[in-house]
Amino acid sequence: MIYYKTADEIEAIRKACHLVSRTLGAVAQHIRPGVRTRDLDRVAYAFIHDLGGKPAFLGYKGFPASICTSVNDAVVHGIPGDYELKEGDIVSVDCGVVYEGFYGDSAYTFAVGQIDEEKSQLLRVTYQALLRGIEQARPGKRIGDISHAIQRYVEQRGFSVVRELVGHGIGRSLHEDPEVPNYGKRGNGLRLLKGLVIAIEPMINAGRREVYTDRDQWTVRTRDGKPSAHFEHTIAIADQGPEVLTTFEFIECTSALSVV
Ligand code: MG
Ligand code: MG
C-alpha cells in the first residue's frame, strides 16, 4: 500500500526530518577517538527528548538504542555499546525520530580522525551515489531509475551495492511501501508521483557485496571484512523535483567531518 502525502503531511514529516538532522549534528560534535558508541547514543536520546520527539529506533523490533552506530565492516544496524572509536575508523550513525505522529530518517558516515584512502574514497562515492539517486526522484521517473543511478555510479568506481537492505517509503510509519533498492534497472518499478515520500539510503561496500548478521542478531557486516558506508536522506517527490527533507547542514557546518 502506497500512501501519497498531502502538503500538510509533508510539512509534518519535514519537522521530524529537521529534528533528525539536528540530532545528527549534535552527535557529530562528539565524534572523536576515545568516544564510546554508547556515548553517542546518549547524546542522541537526550537531544531528541529535549526537542519533544521520540527516537524511532528505540524498541523497534526490540532494538535497544536510539541510533545505529556501525563501525568499519559493519554496514548498518550496529548497536551502540562499549566500543571506543579510534583514529582511522569510519562510523555510520543512523537516526530515526517520530515527531507529532510523523517519522524522519537519515544517516551519515563519519571519519574518525585521519582515515586511509580506501575509506575516504568509499565515503565520497557513497555520498555522491545518494545524490545521484535523489536526482532521479522526480515525477514521471520510476523507482528503478533511482536504483540504477546509484548502482551504476558505485560499480563504475569499483565498489559494491548491498542487496539485502533497501530504502523505503516513510510517513506515519518508519517503513512504508515502496522498497527503494540501491540496485536495479532503469525504467522499472513504481512510477514516481507527487506526494510520495521515501528514504534513499545506499549501503556500499569497499569490497564484495555479501553481508551477514552478527551474533548480536542486529549488526550487518561485510563477509570479506572490508569497510562499508551508508548515507540516507528522506525526500519528497514534488512537481519541480526532489525535495530533500533531511539535511546534513548541521553536520557539515560544525565540523571538519564533511566527506565532500
Ligand atoms: Mg535510517
Ligand atoms: Mg531508512
Side-chain angles (χ1 to χ4, degrees), residues 57 94-95 105-107 201 230 232:
F57 299 171
D94 193 348
C95 181
D105 191 4
S106 184
E201 50 178 317
H230 177 215
E232 175 177 25

Side-chain angles (χ1 to χ4, degrees), residues 95-180:
C95 181
V97 308
V98 56
Y99 185 80
E100 294 177 354
F102 288 89
Y103 285 80
D105 191 4
S106 184
Y108 197 93
T109 303
F110 299 93
V112 182
Q114 287 295 321
I115 56 173
D116 66 29
E117 185 48 39
E118 182 184 58
K119 283 176 174 166
S120 176
Q121 176 72 358
L122 177 66
L123 296 193
R124 280 194 300 272
V125 167
T126 308
Y127 189 111
Q128 286 299 323
L130 170 60
L131 301 185
R132 303 300 164 113
I134 290 171
E135 227 170 63
Q136 298 295 316
R138 47 185 75 247
K141 294 277 191 177
R142 293 178 181 270
I143 291 288
D145 294 317
I146 299 173
S147 308
H148 178 80
I150 292 171
Q151 181 180 16
R152 184 178 138 99
Y153 185 82
V154 166
E155 291 182 351
Q156 279 178 344
R157 284 153 186 82
F159 294 141
S160 62
V161 174
V162 173
R163 304 295 204 270
E164 286 80 354
L165 299 136
V166 296
H168 50 92
I170 181 167
R172 287 185 192 272
S173 304
L174 179 60
H175 295 126
E176 296 182 355
D177 290 336
E179 290 194 340
V180 185

Side-chain angles (χ1 to χ4, degrees), residues 41 55-59 62-68 79-80:
D41 184 55
F57 299 171
L58 186 60
F63 190 77
S66 300
I67 53 174
C68 301
I79 303 173

